[in-house]
Amino acid sequence: MEIFGGLWSFGELLDKPGLDEAERVVELSSGLAGYLDSLVEGSFYSHPSEEAHHQYVANLADRTSGEGYFASRDFVVESACHGALRTFPDSDGLLDSSAGRELLALCEDFGEELVATLRWLRTTGH
């Protein structure tokens, strides 16, 4: 139910941007990433991309504070979105711009990886 609530909040954010709605979406995304990290770390099975995940986190060691892979990815996506929104003119449509399309691709890539890992957890029974 919490995930559906988060998706609902995200939909509301697209229709009517607001700071409270944006903060809720960011918190839910961050919480889901941290929870997924704990499930993967607590699994009896090695994640198929475990080595790549460790390397990714090691390369970001200066920007994250010992967080897991998905929390680190979430932080990078969130930072990219904040950076783009700070410099983006209010008059333009974000998703119509090249920067917006790059952000959307970044979010979609991360989302696809989240879904793949959720499937892996379901398949392995973690």
Side-chain angles (χ1 to χ4, degrees):
M1 293 303 282
E2 189 171 341
I3 291 171
F4 289 125
L7 292 173
W8 186 267
S9 294
F10 182 70
E12 289 176 352
L13 181 62
L14 293 175
D15 290 337
K16 169 182 68 160
L19 185 57
D20 291 337
E21 292 83 7
E23 285 178 8
R24 181 157 188 250
V25 169
V26 167
E27 288 172 8
L28 286 169
S29 174
S30 176
L32 176 61
Y35 178 67
L36 194 54
D37 279 330
S38 69
L39 290 178
V40 170
E41 290 170 15
S43 175
F44 293 118
Y45 304 97
S46 293
H47 189 278
S49 301
E50 184 175 5
E51 289 303 316
H53 290 183
H54 288 302
Q55 186 61 43
Y56 180 87
V57 172
N59 290 339
L60 292 175
D62 61 326
R63 290 193 274 169
T64 59
S65 56
E67 295 178 345
Y69 172 75
F70 291 103
S72 297
R73 288 273 323 260
D74 180 73
F75 175 77
V76 168
V77 170
E78 182 183 334
S79 296
C81 290
H82 280 287
L85 291 174
R86 268 188 254 120
T87 61
F88 200 77
D90 289 338
S91 60
D92 296 334
L94 178 61
L95 295 179
D96 295 330
S97 70
S98 62
R101 287 187 294 276
E102 287 175 22
L103 287 174
L104 187 58
L106 183 65
C107 292
E108 286 177 348
D109 180 53
F110 182 44
E112 287 173 8
E113 191 168 6
L114 288 172
V115 169
T117 298
L118 289 170
R119 284 188 184 128
W120 172 79
L121 286 167
R122 184 178 64 189
T123 302
T124 62
H126 64 280

